[in-house]
Amino acid sequence: MSDWPHSPVHRFSQAGTYMVTAGTYLKEPLFHGEERLRYLCRTLLDLGQESGWALQAWAVFPNHYHFIALTSPASRSLRELIQRLHSITAIELNRLDDLRGRKVWFQYWDTRLTHQRSYLARLSYVHKNAVYHGLVRVPSLYPWCTAGWFEGSAPTSFYKTVMSMKVDRVKVADDFPVELAYV
């Protein structure tokens, strides 16, 4: 690509920080149970790393997930990451349920985060999401998210800053009713 003469150089790329939310088709809790939630977590983390996406926070549920990740110019596209994640997990779920061709995923939404406060608020939102859905009283008790790791590993001042962020004005497609009997 050549630079435009007589102007500052502007190169547009996907590099940056993103929040992503995706839901199952008809909000069905297809990833019910510990084994399926663990599978979705592992697949998300493996594909994120393989695609060059540095996951900062994530939470998975039977019918949706959220994650925040940093990218670089060398990262694969978000579309490619999501297509691979949804394809691989749909094929496996359909194999487990002997329902070949069933539609598993509906859609995903992404937001590029460009302001520090927006980033911090969304980190807080993802870490607190199991509380939002009424699954646990304390975020660190939900095993399929980064809240427990974050509480134990982040510097105390950063942890307190993130967890004190107000999330009531964060706009996220998250009208997913979640019920888990084991938590």
Side-chain angles (χ1 to χ4, degrees):
M1 174 193 322
S2 62
D3 295 334
W4 186 260
H6 313 294
S7 68
V9 175
H10 293 283
R11 298 196 194 282
F12 298 100
S13 74
Q14 69 170 9
T17 305
Y18 289 81
M19 179 171 179
V20 177
T21 296
T24 59
Y25 185 65
L26 300 176
K27 302 178 185 179
E28 291 292 323
L30 301 175
F31 290 90
H32 56 80
E34 293 182 33
E35 192 172 311
R36 289 176 184 221
L37 288 167
R38 192 175 309 114
Y39 169 73
L40 181 56
C41 285
R42 187 176 57 250
T43 306
L44 171 62
L45 295 174
D46 289 348
L47 290 176
Q49 182 177 18
E50 181 183 304
S51 298
W53 285 70
L55 271 68
Q56 304 295 296
W58 50 264
V60 300
F61 301 95
N63 61 359
H64 74 289
Y65 64 79
H66 304 283
F67 70 81
I68 296 175
L70 308 177
T71 67
S72 73
S75 301
R76 290 190 179 135
S77 73
L78 176 59
R79 182 179 180 158
E80 184 179 351
L81 170 61
I82 298 299
Q83 282 178 335
R84 290 189 70 223
L85 175 65
H86 289 185
S87 176
I88 289 168
T89 57
I91 289 168
E92 178 61 12
L93 249 58
N94 287 340
R95 185 192 67 77
L96 290 172
D97 294 338
D98 198 24
L99 292 169
R100 190 175 174 156
R102 169 184 56 180
K103 185 171 181 159
V104 171
W105 293 103
F106 174 61
Q107 192 171 1
Y108 74 93
W109 302 265
D110 65 274
T111 302
R112 185 162 186 222
L113 308 176
T114 57
H115 302 285
Q116 183 180 15
R117 290 186 61 79
S118 179
Y119 170 70
L120 296 174
R122 282 164 176 77
L123 278 178
S124 183
Y125 183 88
V126 171
H127 289 309
K128 295 175 182 175
N129 206 248
V131 174
Y132 167 80
H133 287 294
L135 302 175
V136 292
R137 288 180 291 136
V138 178
S140 62
L141 297 178
Y142 188 70
W144 297 283
C145 74
T146 48
W149 172 87
F150 184 62
E151 182 178 20
S153 301
T156 303
S157 60
F158 184 60
Y159 174 81
K160 287 181 178 181
T161 298
V162 169
M163 298 309 275
S164 69
M165 296 298 294
K166 294 189 183 290
V167 296
D168 56 330
R169 292 176 45 188
V170 173
K171 302 283 189 237
V172 177
D174 196 2
D175 59 344
F176 297 93
V178 178
E179 295 178 20
L180 299 174
Y182 52 83
V183 183

